[in-house]
Amino acid sequence: MELTDFQKEILEGIPSQLPPPAKPDPNLSHAPKRKGILSPEEKKLAIKNALRYFDKKFHPTLAPEFKQELEDFGRVYMYRFRPKSKINARSLSDFPYKSVQAGAIMLMLSNNLDAAIAQHPQELITYGGNGAVFQNWAQYRITIKYLAEMTDRQTLVLYSGHPMGLFPSHEDAPRVVVTNGMVIPNYSKPDHWEKFNALGVSQYGQMTAGSFMYIGPQGIVHGTTITILNAGRKIQKGKEGLAGKLFVSSGLGGMSGAQAKGAVIAGAIGVVAEINPAVVQKRHSQGWVDEIYDDLQTLIDRIKKARKAKEAVSLAYQGNIVDLWEKFIEEDVFVELGSDQTSLHNPWAGGYYPAGLSFEESNEMMANKPDDFQAKVQGSLKRQVTAINKLAAAGMYFFDYGNAFLLEAGRAGADIFKEDGKFKYASYVQDIMGPMCFDYGFGPFRWVCTSSKPEDLDLTDHIAMEVLEGIATTAPKEISQQMRDNIKWISEAKENKMVVGSQARILYADCEGRTKIAAAFNKAIRDGKISGPVVLGRDHHDVSGTDSPYRETSNIYDGSQFTADMAIQNVIGDSFRGATWVSIHNGGGVGWGEVINGGFGMVLDGSKDADRRLTMMLHWDVNNGIARRGWARNEGALFSIKRAMETNPELKVTVPNIADDELINGLFSTK
Ligand SMILES: NC(=O)c1ccc[n+]([C@@H]2O[C@H](COP(=O)([O-])OP(=O)(O)OC[C@H]3O[C@@H](n4cnc5c(N)ncnc54)[C@H](O)[C@@H]3O)[C@@H](O)[C@H]2O)c1
């Protein structure tokens, strides 16, 4: 298709003539049929709601079609309105726009819907099964037209994918404000999502799906590498690192697939069990896992060889994780690091495959005998924990990987609690990400080169490395390890070949790193060295972006881990300090109703205005969370917020006075 046709289609919005009817493309992955939750009256409402996007003369044709979609898929996706042109992160100059900022947002949004990247592209789902960019194709078409037409004196308002419209604003305001899944708190159970989404009035945006900030698997590889590296540091006696040490886990799926690659980058022997043969083959063909084994004895022999040679290698066990753990005990294999990344946030519908059943038997049982299946899952979890406990008693460091493993094992009656009722094992945020990264302001900073040229990305890598090397020379000892890790990551980023879709890079950095890197990019754009604007952003899974009591804020111990002031404050604060777009979501990672998370996008165009905005906004975007973590008495955060106040006298944060535990305990002593 010619470029002009692509641009014409964007500017067309809802077509004046009905496109031919369309069915889902059988060659693509599709969202599962959603549960039929609407009453007959609510079904009428859902169809009436969907018809709001179209001229009345089309209603007699579209109404029965939408009714059929609702019956067949549980949702009205409006398949016939899918655009003819390919959706992907083309060069910014290909998009039609009046505002460069809005053009860059089109590019980011298109990357999230690219059929080569999105999980269920025709249902507008980017990742995580239900992480949506829009609810239907009418929303996509109207939004992209608004973006093409808007100026820097307007703001586009999106309510859960619905383009409410363009409202007059000003040049320093965000071009787009996104809210996803915002509901009255008492209406935030999973079935509320099913109902509101089926009605076409709300959606689950995950973290980077509905905020247009998804950059494919690269994001998760970096976070996983940092987690494994730091887990290794928790167990090392000297400075020996992870060479010859074993990291064992399960899952080679969407996020869990990063474990094998992360383990190798961290220098360990990664052994990951995956029950689904198709998933194992996919990860192997992508080069994410080195070797596949379906025989446990052969695998054990290979592990021994790798240990002896201190090889950094990833080995997939095609089978059940429980069998793998039990084999390690039988063979007396010492495991240094262990975790689990089955999808236990969804235990009864395919997230966890119980031991003793084949993959096919499980699929059959979960659909036809759900109660029996539930009992099998719970029995399997008990076996798994028994094995993990034995290996932990021998010295293995085990951590929960944000997948609700401890929660579901506890519910299954597994031996997972200490005497005080707390879990025997910590989560990766409690032990690793929180105290080692978030409390110091290190988080998943990222950028995208809108020229879509790899050479621009190479240059940004180089600039970022130089900036970090400069900062590292004066960094305090508290963060020198993080600095070294990040310099290593960025220096190897290109050869690790992780770009899929937009020319994007992730780099964990603190406030100083993020700000100095962004300023250096802006200057390089101004000097014509980088050939187009650069978009800055981050995962919502960050220092300040997310309130999630069992994940991002699980290392907050003052009782405030169930509050969501930080995420809300963050997005409001970003919006008036220069963000190009902001987003705030209910749900993301751990589920609807379980988390509030927000983020931003910022376009650097080489201007002085961009310099001003980046300095002001990034400072808030990191220090908000550090201040809150410090107020919760987290040591690293107290260190960091005091340091931030020294470097910027305009920052004045309320810091806690730490009460003496003896004094408090004495009040309740019965002696
Ligand atoms: N990587 C991260 O940083 C991160 C962060 C937070 C949460 N998570 C959580 O991790 C979980 C996994 O995410 P995902 O996107 O990879 O999900 P996914 O469903 O794509 O992958 C999980 C894989 O585990 C496999 N599996 C299930 N039971 C098994 C068993 N008993 N033995 C062996 N394999 C088994 C499945 O076949 C599947 O391929 C989710 O709950 C997610 O929320 C990951």
Short mmCIF file of all heavy atoms in Angstrom, two decimals, residues 119 127-128 206 220 223-224 227 249-259 272-276 279 283 317 319-322 340-346 350-355 359 380 384 401-404 428 433 541 551-552 588-591, ligand 1:
data_model
loop_
_atom_site.label_atom_id
_atom_site.label_comp_id
_atom_site.label_asym_id
_atom_site.label_seq_id
_atom_site.Cartn_x
_atom_site.Cartn_y
_atom_site.Cartn_z
N GLN A 119 -0.09 -9.40 21.20
CA GLN A 119 -0.48 -10.78 21.46
C GLN A 119 -1.71 -11.18 20.64
O GLN A 119 -1.73 -12.22 19.99
CB GLN A 119 -0.76 -10.93 22.97
CG GLN A 119 -1.02 -12.33 23.43
CD GLN A 119 -1.33 -12.37 24.92
OE1 GLN A 119 -1.65 -11.35 25.54
NE2 GLN A 119 -1.24 -13.54 25.51
N TYR A 127 -0.56 -7.38 25.31
CA TYR A 127 0.07 -8.48 26.06
C TYR A 127 -0.76 -8.81 27.29
O TYR A 127 -1.74 -8.11 27.60
CB TYR A 127 1.52 -8.12 26.46
CG TYR A 127 1.64 -7.07 27.56
CD1 TYR A 127 1.90 -7.42 28.88
CD2 TYR A 127 1.50 -5.72 27.27
CE1 TYR A 127 2.01 -6.47 29.88
CE2 TYR A 127 1.61 -4.76 28.27
CZ TYR A 127 1.86 -5.14 29.56
OH TYR A 127 1.96 -4.20 30.55
N GLY A 128 -0.36 -9.90 27.95
CA GLY A 128 -0.99 -10.27 29.22
C GLY A 128 -2.42 -10.79 29.08
O GLY A 128 -3.16 -10.80 30.06
N GLN A 206 -3.47 -3.06 31.22
CA GLN A 206 -2.19 -3.57 31.74
C GLN A 206 -1.33 -2.37 32.14
O GLN A 206 -1.87 -1.39 32.64
CB GLN A 206 -1.49 -4.44 30.68
CG GLN A 206 -1.98 -5.87 30.67
CD GLN A 206 -1.43 -6.72 31.81
OE1 GLN A 206 -0.80 -6.23 32.72
NE2 GLN A 206 -1.70 -8.02 31.79
N ILE A 220 11.40 -6.68 29.78
CA ILE A 220 11.37 -7.67 30.84
C ILE A 220 12.73 -8.36 30.99
O ILE A 220 13.11 -8.77 32.08
CB ILE A 220 10.20 -8.64 30.62
CG1 ILE A 220 9.75 -9.23 31.93
CG2 ILE A 220 10.46 -9.70 29.61
CD1 ILE A 220 9.04 -8.25 32.78
N GLY A 223 14.87 -6.25 33.42
CA GLY A 223 14.42 -6.38 34.81
C GLY A 223 14.77 -7.76 35.37
O GLY A 223 15.20 -7.89 36.52
N THR A 224 14.60 -8.79 34.54
CA THR A 224 14.88 -10.16 34.99
C THR A 224 16.37 -10.34 35.24
O THR A 224 16.79 -10.95 36.23
CB THR A 224 14.37 -11.18 33.94
OG1 THR A 224 12.99 -10.93 33.73
CG2 THR A 224 14.56 -12.60 34.40
N THR A 227 17.24 -8.77 38.45
CA THR A 227 16.74 -9.57 39.57
C THR A 227 17.65 -10.77 39.84
O THR A 227 18.03 -11.03 40.98
CB THR A 227 15.30 -10.04 39.28
OG1 THR A 227 14.51 -8.89 39.00
CG2 THR A 227 14.70 -10.79 40.45
N SER A 249 13.78 -22.26 37.52
CA SER A 249 12.45 -21.69 37.60
C SER A 249 11.55 -22.38 36.58
O SER A 249 11.95 -23.38 35.97
CB SER A 249 12.52 -20.17 37.35
OG SER A 249 11.27 -19.58 37.62
N SER A 250 10.35 -21.84 36.41
CA SER A 250 9.42 -22.42 35.44
C SER A 250 8.83 -21.33 34.59
O SER A 250 8.79 -20.16 34.98
CB SER A 250 8.29 -23.13 36.19
OG SER A 250 7.70 -22.20 37.07
N GLY A 251 8.38 -21.72 33.39
CA GLY A 251 7.70 -20.79 32.48
C GLY A 251 8.63 -20.20 31.44
O GLY A 251 9.65 -19.59 31.78
N LEU A 252 8.26 -20.41 30.18
CA LEU A 252 8.98 -19.75 29.08
C LEU A 252 7.98 -18.93 28.27
O LEU A 252 8.10 -18.79 27.05
CB LEU A 252 9.68 -20.78 28.19
CG LEU A 252 10.92 -21.43 28.80
CD1 LEU A 252 11.41 -22.59 27.94
CD2 LEU A 252 12.04 -20.41 28.96
N GLY A 253 6.97 -18.41 28.95
CA GLY A 253 5.89 -17.66 28.27
C GLY A 253 6.25 -16.21 28.05
O GLY A 253 7.42 -15.84 27.91
N GLY A 254 5.20 -15.37 28.03
CA GLY A 254 5.34 -13.95 27.67
C GLY A 254 6.43 -13.25 28.45
O GLY A 254 7.39 -12.74 27.88
N MET A 255 6.28 -13.21 29.76
CA MET A 255 7.31 -12.55 30.59
C MET A 255 8.32 -13.56 31.10
O MET A 255 9.52 -13.29 31.14
CB MET A 255 6.64 -11.86 31.77
CG MET A 255 5.87 -10.64 31.36
SD MET A 255 5.52 -9.59 32.76
CE MET A 255 3.95 -10.24 33.26
N SER A 256 7.81 -14.74 31.48
CA SER A 256 8.70 -15.74 32.06
C SER A 256 9.78 -16.18 31.08
O SER A 256 10.86 -16.62 31.49
CB SER A 256 7.88 -16.94 32.52
OG SER A 256 7.02 -17.38 31.48
N GLY A 257 9.53 -16.04 29.78
CA GLY A 257 10.51 -16.42 28.76
C GLY A 257 11.82 -15.66 28.90
O GLY A 257 12.85 -16.10 28.39
N ALA A 258 11.77 -14.53 29.60
CA ALA A 258 12.98 -13.72 29.79
C ALA A 258 13.96 -14.40 30.76
O ALA A 258 15.14 -14.03 30.79
CB ALA A 258 12.61 -12.34 30.32
N GLN A 259 13.46 -15.36 31.54
CA GLN A 259 14.32 -15.93 32.59
C GLN A 259 15.56 -16.63 32.04
O GLN A 259 16.66 -16.47 32.56
CB GLN A 259 13.53 -16.92 33.45
CG GLN A 259 12.40 -16.28 34.21
CD GLN A 259 11.60 -17.30 34.98
OE1 GLN A 259 11.68 -17.36 36.19
NE2 GLN A 259 10.83 -18.12 34.28
N VAL A 272 15.00 -23.92 33.10
CA VAL A 272 13.61 -23.49 33.19
C VAL A 272 12.69 -24.58 32.65
O VAL A 272 12.86 -25.04 31.52
CB VAL A 272 13.39 -22.17 32.39
CG1 VAL A 272 11.97 -21.68 32.57
CG2 VAL A 272 14.38 -21.10 32.83
N ALA A 273 11.72 -24.99 33.49
CA ALA A 273 10.75 -26.01 33.06
C ALA A 273 9.58 -25.33 32.36
O ALA A 273 9.09 -24.29 32.82
CB ALA A 273 10.25 -26.79 34.27
N GLU A 274 9.14 -25.92 31.26
CA GLU A 274 7.97 -25.39 30.55
C GLU A 274 7.17 -26.58 30.05
O GLU A 274 7.69 -27.44 29.33
CB GLU A 274 8.41 -24.48 29.39
CG GLU A 274 7.34 -24.10 28.40
CD GLU A 274 6.13 -23.38 29.00
OE1 GLU A 274 6.29 -22.29 29.58
OE2 GLU A 274 5.01 -23.95 28.90
N ILE A 275 5.90 -26.61 30.40
CA ILE A 275 5.06 -27.77 30.09
C ILE A 275 4.57 -27.78 28.65
O ILE A 275 4.31 -28.83 28.08
CB ILE A 275 3.86 -27.81 31.08
CG1 ILE A 275 3.05 -29.11 30.99
CG2 ILE A 275 2.92 -26.64 30.87
CD1 ILE A 275 3.62 -30.21 31.79
N ASN A 276 4.46 -26.60 28.05
CA ASN A 276 3.86 -26.51 26.71
C ASN A 276 4.95 -26.63 25.62
O ASN A 276 5.77 -25.73 25.46
CB ASN A 276 3.13 -25.16 26.60
CG ASN A 276 2.40 -25.00 25.28
OD1 ASN A 276 2.68 -25.70 24.32
ND2 ASN A 276 1.48 -24.07 25.25
N VAL A 279 5.52 -23.71 23.23
CA VAL A 279 6.19 -22.54 23.84
C VAL A 279 7.70 -22.79 23.91
O VAL A 279 8.50 -21.91 23.61
CB VAL A 279 5.59 -22.26 25.25
CG1 VAL A 279 6.40 -21.21 25.98
CG2 VAL A 279 4.14 -21.83 25.13
N ARG A 283 10.54 -20.39 22.00
CA ARG A 283 11.65 -19.70 22.68
C ARG A 283 13.01 -20.19 22.16
O ARG A 283 13.95 -19.42 22.07
CB ARG A 283 11.57 -19.92 24.20
CG ARG A 283 10.45 -19.16 24.85
CD ARG A 283 10.61 -17.68 24.64
NE ARG A 283 9.55 -16.92 25.27
CZ ARG A 283 9.17 -15.72 24.85
NH1 ARG A 283 9.72 -15.15 23.81
NH2 ARG A 283 8.21 -15.07 25.48
N TYR A 317 13.70 -27.51 30.35
CA TYR A 317 13.15 -28.84 30.61
C TYR A 317 11.73 -28.84 30.09
O TYR A 317 10.88 -28.10 30.61
CB TYR A 317 13.19 -29.20 32.11
CG TYR A 317 12.41 -30.47 32.38
CD1 TYR A 317 12.71 -31.65 31.70
CD2 TYR A 317 11.34 -30.48 33.28
CE1 TYR A 317 11.96 -32.79 31.89
CE2 TYR A 317 10.59 -31.63 33.49
CZ TYR A 317 10.90 -32.78 32.79
OH TYR A 317 10.16 -33.91 32.97
N GLY A 319 8.65 -30.13 30.39
CA GLY A 319 7.91 -30.98 31.32
C GLY A 319 7.46 -30.14 32.49
O GLY A 319 7.52 -28.90 32.45
N ASN A 320 7.04 -30.84 33.55
CA ASN A 320 6.45 -30.12 34.68
C ASN A 320 7.52 -29.71 35.70
O ASN A 320 8.40 -30.51 36.04
CB ASN A 320 5.41 -31.01 35.36
CG ASN A 320 4.46 -30.19 36.17
OD1 ASN A 320 4.85 -29.55 37.14
ND2 ASN A 320 3.20 -30.18 35.77
N ILE A 321 7.41 -28.52 36.20
CA ILE A 321 8.38 -27.98 37.16
C ILE A 321 8.45 -28.83 38.43
O ILE A 321 9.51 -28.98 39.03
CB ILE A 321 8.09 -26.49 37.51
CG1 ILE A 321 9.13 -25.91 38.48
CG2 ILE A 321 6.69 -26.29 38.06
CD1 ILE A 321 10.52 -25.81 37.97
N VAL A 322 7.33 -29.43 38.81
CA VAL A 322 7.32 -30.23 40.04
C VAL A 322 8.23 -31.44 39.86
O VAL A 322 9.02 -31.79 40.75
CB VAL A 322 5.87 -30.66 40.39
CG1 VAL A 322 5.87 -31.50 41.67
CG2 VAL A 322 4.97 -29.45 40.54
N ASP A 340 9.65 -19.25 40.56
CA ASP A 340 8.58 -19.87 39.79
C ASP A 340 7.88 -18.77 39.02
O ASP A 340 7.62 -17.71 39.59
CB ASP A 340 7.57 -20.54 40.75
CG ASP A 340 6.49 -21.26 39.97
OD1 ASP A 340 5.49 -20.62 39.59
OD2 ASP A 340 6.65 -22.47 39.72
N GLN A 341 7.65 -19.03 37.73
CA GLN A 341 6.92 -18.00 37.00
C GLN A 341 5.82 -18.60 36.12
O GLN A 341 5.57 -18.17 35.01
CB GLN A 341 7.87 -17.12 36.19
CG GLN A 341 7.64 -15.66 36.57
CD GLN A 341 8.43 -14.68 35.75
OE1 GLN A 341 7.92 -14.07 34.85
NE2 GLN A 341 9.69 -14.53 36.09
N THR A 342 5.14 -19.62 36.69
CA THR A 342 3.90 -20.05 36.05
C THR A 342 2.90 -18.91 36.27
O THR A 342 3.12 -18.06 37.13
CB THR A 342 3.39 -21.35 36.71
OG1 THR A 342 3.31 -21.11 38.12
CG2 THR A 342 4.35 -22.51 36.45
N SER A 343 1.80 -18.93 35.50
CA SER A 343 0.85 -17.81 35.62
C SER A 343 -0.16 -18.05 36.74
O SER A 343 -1.35 -18.20 36.50
CB SER A 343 0.12 -17.61 34.30
OG SER A 343 0.86 -16.77 33.47
N LEU A 344 0.35 -18.05 37.98
CA LEU A 344 -0.56 -18.38 39.09
C LEU A 344 -1.53 -17.25 39.44
O LEU A 344 -2.39 -17.43 40.31
CB LEU A 344 0.25 -18.84 40.30
CG LEU A 344 0.51 -20.35 40.25
CD1 LEU A 344 1.63 -20.74 41.19
CD2 LEU A 344 -0.75 -21.15 40.56
N HIS A 345 -1.42 -16.12 38.75
CA HIS A 345 -2.48 -15.12 38.93
C HIS A 345 -3.77 -15.63 38.28
O HIS A 345 -4.85 -15.08 38.49
CB HIS A 345 -2.05 -13.75 38.34
CG HIS A 345 -2.00 -13.73 36.85
ND1 HIS A 345 -0.89 -14.09 36.13
CD2 HIS A 345 -2.95 -13.43 35.93
CE1 HIS A 345 -1.14 -13.99 34.83
NE2 HIS A 345 -2.39 -13.59 34.69
N ASN A 346 -3.67 -16.71 37.53
CA ASN A 346 -4.81 -17.30 36.80
C ASN A 346 -4.74 -18.82 36.95
O ASN A 346 -4.51 -19.55 36.00
CB ASN A 346 -4.67 -16.86 35.32
CG ASN A 346 -5.69 -17.48 34.42
OD1 ASN A 346 -6.79 -17.81 34.85
ND2 ASN A 346 -5.34 -17.65 33.16
N GLY A 350 -5.57 -22.40 33.08
CA GLY A 350 -4.43 -22.56 32.19
C GLY A 350 -3.16 -21.85 32.63
O GLY A 350 -2.14 -21.95 31.96
N GLY A 351 -3.22 -21.18 33.78
CA GLY A 351 -2.02 -20.49 34.25
C GLY A 351 -1.03 -21.44 34.89
O GLY A 351 0.17 -21.20 34.90
N TYR A 352 -1.54 -22.56 35.46
CA TYR A 352 -0.68 -23.53 36.15
C TYR A 352 -1.11 -24.94 35.75
O TYR A 352 -2.30 -25.28 35.84
CB TYR A 352 -0.81 -23.35 37.67
CG TYR A 352 0.07 -24.29 38.46
CD1 TYR A 352 1.37 -23.92 38.81
CD2 TYR A 352 -0.40 -25.54 38.88
CE1 TYR A 352 2.19 -24.78 39.54
CE2 TYR A 352 0.41 -26.41 39.61
CZ TYR A 352 1.70 -26.02 39.93
OH TYR A 352 2.50 -26.87 40.65
N TYR A 353 -0.14 -25.75 35.33
CA TYR A 353 -0.42 -27.13 34.93
C TYR A 353 0.06 -28.07 36.02
O TYR A 353 1.26 -28.10 36.34
CB TYR A 353 0.26 -27.43 33.59
CG TYR A 353 -0.48 -26.78 32.45
CD1 TYR A 353 -0.32 -25.44 32.16
CD2 TYR A 353 -1.40 -27.52 31.70
CE1 TYR A 353 -1.04 -24.83 31.14
CE2 TYR A 353 -2.12 -26.92 30.67
CZ TYR A 353 -1.93 -25.57 30.40
OH TYR A 353 -2.65 -24.98 29.40
N PRO A 354 -0.88 -28.83 36.62
CA PRO A 354 -0.49 -29.67 37.76
C PRO A 354 0.35 -30.88 37.36
O PRO A 354 0.21 -31.41 36.25
CB PRO A 354 -1.85 -30.12 38.32
CG PRO A 354 -2.82 -29.96 37.22
CD PRO A 354 -2.32 -28.88 36.32
N ALA A 355 1.20 -31.32 38.28
CA ALA A 355 2.02 -32.51 38.07
C ALA A 355 1.10 -33.73 37.97
O ALA A 355 0.00 -33.75 38.53
CB ALA A 355 2.98 -32.68 39.24
N PHE A 359 -0.08 -32.16 29.40
CA PHE A 359 -0.58 -30.86 29.00
C PHE A 359 -2.01 -30.99 28.46
O PHE A 359 -2.93 -30.25 28.86
CB PHE A 359 0.38 -30.31 27.92
CG PHE A 359 0.06 -28.93 27.45
CD1 PHE A 359 0.06 -27.85 28.32
CD2 PHE A 359 -0.22 -28.71 26.10
CE1 PHE A 359 -0.22 -26.57 27.86
CE2 PHE A 359 -0.48 -27.43 25.63
CZ PHE A 359 -0.50 -26.36 26.51
N SER A 380 -0.71 -30.34 43.46
CA SER A 380 0.59 -30.14 42.80
C SER A 380 1.38 -29.03 43.49
O SER A 380 2.59 -29.15 43.70
CB SER A 380 0.32 -29.78 41.33
OG SER A 380 1.50 -29.56 40.64
N GLN A 384 5.04 -29.20 45.15
CA GLN A 384 6.09 -28.27 44.69
C GLN A 384 6.75 -27.58 45.90
O GLN A 384 7.96 -27.47 45.98
CB GLN A 384 5.48 -27.23 43.74
CG GLN A 384 6.51 -26.34 43.10
CD GLN A 384 5.95 -25.52 41.93
OE1 GLN A 384 4.91 -25.85 41.38
NE2 GLN A 384 6.64 -24.46 41.56
N TYR A 401 8.09 -14.59 42.25
CA TYR A 401 8.36 -13.68 41.13
C TYR A 401 7.14 -12.88 40.69
O TYR A 401 6.87 -12.71 39.50
CB TYR A 401 8.96 -14.46 39.95
CG TYR A 401 9.97 -13.62 39.19
CD1 TYR A 401 11.01 -14.18 38.48
CD2 TYR A 401 9.88 -12.22 39.21
CE1 TYR A 401 11.93 -13.39 37.81
CE2 TYR A 401 10.79 -11.43 38.56
CZ TYR A 401 11.81 -12.01 37.86
OH TYR A 401 12.71 -11.22 37.20
N GLY A 402 6.35 -12.42 41.67
CA GLY A 402 5.23 -11.54 41.33
C GLY A 402 4.12 -12.26 40.58
O GLY A 402 3.32 -11.62 39.91
N ASN A 403 4.07 -13.60 40.69
CA ASN A 403 3.06 -14.37 39.95
C ASN A 403 2.03 -14.99 40.87
O ASN A 403 1.31 -15.89 40.45
CB ASN A 403 3.76 -15.48 39.13
CG ASN A 403 4.49 -16.47 40.03
OD1 ASN A 403 4.84 -16.13 41.16
ND2 ASN A 403 4.72 -17.67 39.56
N ALA A 404 1.97 -14.55 42.12
CA ALA A 404 1.01 -15.06 43.12
C ALA A 404 1.33 -16.51 43.52
O ALA A 404 0.45 -17.24 43.98
CB ALA A 404 -0.43 -14.93 42.63
N TYR A 428 10.25 -10.90 44.99
CA TYR A 428 11.42 -10.27 44.37
C TYR A 428 11.47 -8.77 44.64
O TYR A 428 12.55 -8.19 44.66
CB TYR A 428 11.46 -10.59 42.86
CG TYR A 428 10.48 -9.84 41.99
CD1 TYR A 428 10.92 -9.00 40.99
CD2 TYR A 428 9.12 -9.99 42.16
CE1 TYR A 428 10.03 -8.32 40.17
CE2 TYR A 428 8.23 -9.32 41.35
CZ TYR A 428 8.67 -8.49 40.37
OH TYR A 428 7.78 -7.81 39.58
N MET A 433 14.22 -5.95 44.15
CA MET A 433 13.90 -4.73 43.40
C MET A 433 13.68 -3.52 44.30
O MET A 433 14.13 -2.42 43.99
CB MET A 433 12.60 -4.93 42.63
CG MET A 433 12.69 -5.28 41.20
SD MET A 433 13.94 -4.45 40.32
CE MET A 433 13.97 -5.42 38.89
N HIS A 541 5.86 -0.22 36.26
CA HIS A 541 6.50 -1.01 37.32
C HIS A 541 7.79 -0.29 37.75
O HIS A 541 8.89 -0.65 37.36
CB HIS A 541 6.82 -2.38 36.69
CG HIS A 541 7.60 -3.33 37.51
ND1 HIS A 541 7.17 -3.88 38.66
CD2 HIS A 541 8.83 -3.89 37.30
CE1 HIS A 541 8.07 -4.73 39.14
NE2 HIS A 541 9.09 -4.74 38.34
N ARG A 551 3.41 -6.39 45.14
CA ARG A 551 4.50 -6.33 44.17
C ARG A 551 5.29 -5.04 44.37
O ARG A 551 6.11 -4.96 45.25
CB ARG A 551 3.93 -6.46 42.75
CG ARG A 551 4.72 -7.48 41.96
CD ARG A 551 4.06 -7.83 40.68
NE ARG A 551 4.27 -6.82 39.67
CZ ARG A 551 3.93 -6.98 38.41
NH1 ARG A 551 3.36 -8.09 38.02
NH2 ARG A 551 4.16 -6.05 37.53
N GLU A 552 4.98 -4.00 43.59
CA GLU A 552 5.86 -2.82 43.59
C GLU A 552 5.98 -2.15 44.95
O GLU A 552 7.01 -1.58 45.28
CB GLU A 552 5.37 -1.79 42.56
CG GLU A 552 5.66 -2.17 41.12
CD GLU A 552 4.68 -3.19 40.56
OE1 GLU A 552 3.86 -3.73 41.33
OE2 GLU A 552 4.74 -3.45 39.35
N GLY A 588 -2.94 -4.22 36.14
CA GLY A 588 -1.65 -4.24 35.44
C GLY A 588 -0.80 -5.25 36.15
O GLY A 588 -0.50 -5.07 37.34
N GLY A 589 -0.42 -6.33 35.47
CA GLY A 589 0.43 -7.35 36.09
C GLY A 589 -0.34 -8.26 37.03
O GLY A 589 -0.60 -9.40 36.70
N VAL A 590 -0.74 -7.75 38.18
CA VAL A 590 -1.35 -8.63 39.18
C VAL A 590 -2.87 -8.68 39.13
O VAL A 590 -3.48 -9.41 39.88
CB VAL A 590 -0.87 -8.28 40.60
CG1 VAL A 590 0.57 -8.68 40.81
CG2 VAL A 590 -1.05 -6.80 40.87
N GLY A 591 -3.49 -7.88 38.28
CA GLY A 591 -4.94 -8.04 38.11
C GLY A 591 -5.77 -6.81 38.46
O GLY A 591 -5.36 -5.95 39.24
N1 LIG B 1 8.98 -11.47 34.67
C1 LIG B 1 8.54 -10.55 35.47
O1 LIG B 1 9.24 -9.57 35.78
C2 LIG B 1 7.20 -10.63 36.08
C3 LIG B 1 6.90 -9.61 36.88
C4 LIG B 1 5.73 -9.70 37.55
C5 LIG B 1 4.88 -10.75 37.38
N2 LIG B 1 5.14 -11.73 36.56
C6 LIG B 1 4.18 -12.83 36.54
O2 LIG B 1 4.75 -14.03 36.05
C7 LIG B 1 3.72 -14.88 35.57
C8 LIG B 1 4.09 -15.40 34.21
O3 LIG B 1 3.93 -14.40 33.21
P1 LIG B 1 3.98 -14.79 31.66
O4 LIG B 1 3.64 -13.57 30.88
O5 LIG B 1 5.24 -15.47 31.37
O6 LIG B 1 2.78 -15.85 31.56
P2 LIG B 1 2.55 -17.03 30.52
O7 LIG B 1 1.23 -17.61 30.87
O8 LIG B 1 2.81 -16.54 29.15
O9 LIG B 1 3.72 -18.09 30.89
C9 LIG B 1 3.68 -19.01 31.96
C10 LIG B 1 4.15 -20.36 31.43
O10 LIG B 1 4.20 -21.30 32.50
C11 LIG B 1 3.92 -22.59 31.94
N3 LIG B 1 3.52 -23.50 33.01
C12 LIG B 1 2.38 -23.45 33.75
N4 LIG B 1 2.39 -24.41 34.68
C13 LIG B 1 3.55 -25.09 34.54
C14 LIG B 1 4.14 -26.15 35.23
N5 LIG B 1 3.54 -26.73 36.29
N6 LIG B 1 5.37 -26.58 34.84
C15 LIG B 1 6.01 -26.00 33.79
N7 LIG B 1 5.48 -24.99 33.10
C16 LIG B 1 4.28 -24.50 33.48
C17 LIG B 1 2.84 -22.31 30.93
O11 LIG B 1 2.74 -23.33 29.96
C18 LIG B 1 3.23 -20.95 30.37
O12 LIG B 1 3.92 -21.05 29.14
C19 LIG B 1 2.45 -14.05 35.58
O13 LIG B 1 1.68 -14.40 36.71
C20 LIG B 1 2.96 -12.63 35.65
O14 LIG B 1 2.02 -11.73 36.20
C21 LIG B 1 6.30 -11.68 35.88
#
